[in-house]
Amino acid sequence: MSLDQDTTLPLDHLVSTMEARLDAWRVLNAANRAWAATGAATGDETAKQAVEHQLRCLSSLEEFYAFPGRQFMGSLAELVAEGDAAAAARLSARLSAALLSKSYHNNPGEWDSDESSLDNADRLPPALNGNGGDKHRPYFEVLVVTPTPQTKWTEVSREMRRLRRPQDPFVYELVIVGSFEDAALGAILNPAIEAVVVFDGFHFASQHDVPLLHRFLEAHVPPGVADLTSEAMTPALVRMLKNLRPELDIYLLSDRKVEEMAANPELACVRRVFYEVEEPLEIHLSILDGINDRYETPYFDNLKKYSQRPMGTFHALPVARGKSIFKSNWIRDMGEFYGLNLFLAESSATTGGLDSLLEPTGNIKTAQDKAARAFGADHAFFVTNGTSTSNKIVEQALLHPGDIVLVDRNCHKSHHYGMVLAGARPVYLEAYPMMEYSMYGGVPLRTIKKAMLDLKAEGKLDRVRMLLLTNCTFDGHVYNTRQVMEECLAIKPDLIFLWDEAWFGFARFSPFFRQRTAMGAATLIKRAMAGSDYRSALEAQHREVGVDLDPADARLLDRRLVPDPDRMRVRVYQTNSTHKSMSALRQGSMILVCDQDFHHVEEAFHEAIFTHTSTSPNLQIIASLDIARRQMELEGYEMVMKATQLALIIRSEVNRHPLVSKYFRVLDLGDMVPAEFRRTGMESLTGTDWTKAIESIWNDEFVLDPTRLTLVCGSAGFDGTEFKGMLAEKYDIQINKTSRNSILLQTNINNTRSDVAHLMKVLVDIATGIEERLAAGGEPAVAAFRGRVAGLMKDVPDMPNFSRFHDHFREDTGSATSEGDIRSAFYLAYDEGSCEHVKLNSREIDRRLKSGPELVSASFVIPYPPGFPIMVPGQVITTETIEFMRKLDVKEIHGYQASRGLKLLTPKALAVQPVMRIEVA
């Protein structure tokens, strides 16, 4: 990969820079070996030219990494220029191996350019090698932006190395650049960079020809930065670096009035300001202190200390300290399996440094504050029994009985139960369907706006409390969160947003998807509120459609609406299944809050925590949430980019493989998102001009999370459940979600290229087996196979929409809006006399669908797949819902017992006037 390539590079090349770099080194190695074996001996220049070409491709990229660095790259270029093929091959092999293994992180010998030292790495003096004993010290790199001439950069690096001390907890090397654009390139391309030191006076333009990154820079850099003065360019660079990678520590060095700069609000995100280089040791110590601030895990650190203390346990937890296990004749194997530390770190006490999850005041509070910083929130709360509980905590805290909630009908069942508990009235919103794959996408913004405007027309807008959406959906649909919130706030300025980002927590650490997270979008909205763009756009809106938006004005549905910055309140909540995409133990979850009015609901919020949180939370889950935050702040950028790249590799390899693609296909953007929601026209996540991909991510109504891959298996004759079972039992591949004719694969920070290779081999083996069976079975086998495929891919049941709540659970039966009293329906079903059961395939069902009385569900009915309620308590059951259930071939349907039939509320119970209604708040 070369930085001076044209702008038509696919998205793959941008997210896969780290792997592309290693691949480029492997290509250089191969070219060097070929040259050493043949070219040098025969005098053939072709082999040498191949090496020179690959070396040129690498040289500009390597400017942004500390290793191999200028000295090694210069030595390699000299060897090639001199025609010493053997030495060039040895050196490139050595450097490639060090990069692949990352041995240069801890082995100082890798930094010695003398070939004779390869077997004697300790020759480097301690001041340079950074060797502080046997303890592993994490390695990172520091980006230095300076106007200092390149001829002095090597000396700058040496000066900083001389400051190393054996007691330093970390080791770092410098990457030095001289311009605004090169600083951006370094932050994007090099995930090992953890801190940035900015010297005043740098220039704007890169020393490289970088057209491929101009579009990306334009998205982060306001117009005209190139024309700014040196003084104004520094704050612009700081803001851009923080937009790209918020986790970076930034230090500023200047010969100007540093006291004024330190107090400048535009430089508030700078960790420390120094007066030029009068205190190089303080700069060094500050860099280490900044990394240590992220590295520190308050709860996990205290739990480790606690586990090593001699404790007498007189509390109700026999497994604490492990004596009941390791001294047992019968369960000692449990201790051998889990290890001693697990039990030494168990306790039911909240003293001795362990703190209380219900009322944290010590290290849990500090850990939560660090998590809030890492995820861009005002507050963070740890939850140890999953995001199902996180959702119910938020809903109980914020919703009053009678409040109206706009909610995706296909959201996780915990939200439906949360509304039952809170007594809220759901208005179910329909997502767009993908009938052929038996799944739903997201809820169009037009649908959301129409529901709000209808409620306004009915005089009920004041009761609308919350919009609740899943971002991203199980299948990977990601909303344009900022646009959704801004347009909804234009209609109702105090609307609360709950974004269920159970599967999307990792996106905070992707510069591409951060702005589509709840917290990322909330930050952008708050920042925009202070600017003039809102006000000028609002004035234009007032002139066109009036000040008070008229629900009867059809233009409002398709016009981009602008909120009033003087009236709107940014009230955003995000629930995050940390365990689903980060290194947390199962059921580790977080609630993230960005709410300008949180002080008004804080007491209710804590009361909801008391309601739903166990008084005996799992200490190991709390510690793992602390650890997950540390990892994502320090290496999340690299790991998320790698997970994204692996997903793109799978998409590309499956869909282009000549055999595998005959029977399997990974659905692409054009398959999963209708054209009306892709104004940029982008259809594929692979092989697409990445500048168009960035434009799509920035602007389209829906995009796909690339790490979630829907693999169609129906075209291979397998339904989703069958294929999932076969992968697990025969090939040791585990997946989670299925549909009628597909399975969902997902890459995460745990996956490697070896995993991808294993998956591809399995798919090739399965496809080969299909070919062999069809060939052996002849025409009858082919005909049977085609019939099976047609049944899975074409004879698919229509996806039923939510019908309506029965009039018994409606306050105003003449209303055009659809909110219903789900709580009353839920608890009415507790009365056995109010319920009946009717078999699904009975004539009674068909008769009542045709002639009445209406069938009204007494419970939630949730088939897996698709995994969302197709019936909720109080819902009128329609022919479409019954037909869908009859065509389902899944075994797991929550809320339905085939032996008894559908649980319904009886006509008699529904005829009785309700004794009590929940009063509207």
Side-chain angles (χ1 to χ4, degrees), residues 538-559:
L538 183 64
E539 290 171 3
Q541 178 174 289
H542 287 169
R543 290 192 297 270
E544 182 181 342
V545 295
V547 175
D548 185 23
L549 302 179
D550 182 358
D553 189 343
R555 293 176 296 173
L556 301 182
L557 295 178
D558 298 308
R559 188 194 196 282

Side-chain angles (χ1 to χ4, degrees), residues 831-846:
D831 176 14
E832 188 174 344
S834 297
C835 299
E836 61 179 332
H837 290 81
V838 181
K839 294 291 186 68
L840 181 63
N841 292 307
S842 67
R843 292 181 179 178
E844 174 69 5
I845 289 276
D846 297 324

Side-chain angles (χ1 to χ4, degrees), residues 382-384 578 584 588-590 620-629:
F382 291 172
V383 178
T384 60
T578 316
S589 175
M590 294 185 194
Q620 315 314 318
I621 295 177
I622 301 172
S624 75
L625 289 168
D626 203 8
I627 284 287
R629 186 274 314 158

Side-chain angles (χ1 to χ4, degrees), residues 449-492:
K449 289 161 64 176
K450 185 177 187 311
M452 294 187 70
L453 292 169
D454 286 348
L455 287 160
K456 182 176 182 178
E458 293 275 342
K460 299 176 182 176
L461 190 60
D462 61 310
R463 289 178 50 199
V464 177
R465 178 78 166 167
M466 178 185 287
L467 173 65
L468 193 168
L469 296 171
T470 305
N471 185 52
C472 68
T473 68
F474 213 146
D475 300 294
H477 300 90
V478 182
Y479 287 85
N480 190 329
T481 48
R482 177 177 177 178
Q483 183 178 355
V484 168
M485 290 195 285
E486 286 180 337
E487 293 213 43
C488 289
L489 289 172
I491 299 171
K492 183 171 173 56

Side-chain angles (χ1 to χ4, degrees), residues 69-81:
R70 292 174 177 271
Q71 186 173 359
F72 273 127
M73 295 303 293
S75 299
L76 187 55
E78 287 178 10
L79 293 173
V80 173

Side-chain angles (χ1 to χ4, degrees), residues 827-884:
Y827 284 108
L828 180 58
Y830 274 37
D831 176 14
E832 188 174 344
S834 297
C835 299
E836 61 179 332
H837 290 81
V838 181
K839 294 291 186 68
L840 181 63
N841 292 307
S842 67
R843 292 181 179 178
E844 174 69 5
I845 289 276
D846 297 324
R847 184 189 65 78
R848 287 179 60 175
L849 285 171
K850 183 177 180 180
S851 306
E854 290 178 320
L855 303 168
V856 179
S857 180
S859 63
F860 291 102
V861 177
I862 309 172
Y864 282 84
F868 60 83
I870 60 171
M871 301 179 199
V872 303
Q875 177 184 343
V876 175
I877 301 171
T878 62
T879 301
E880 290 74 22
T881 302
I882 294 300
E883 288 181 354
F884 179 78

Side-chain angles (χ1 to χ4, degrees), residues 606-632:
H606 287 292
E607 192 68 36
I609 289 175
F610 298 153
T611 301
H612 293 280
T613 300
S614 169
T615 53
S616 302
N618 188 297
L619 307 190
Q620 315 314 318
I621 295 177
I622 301 172
S624 75
L625 289 168
D626 203 8
I627 284 287
R629 186 274 314 158
R630 177 214 280 180
Q631 180 179 49
M632 298 309 288

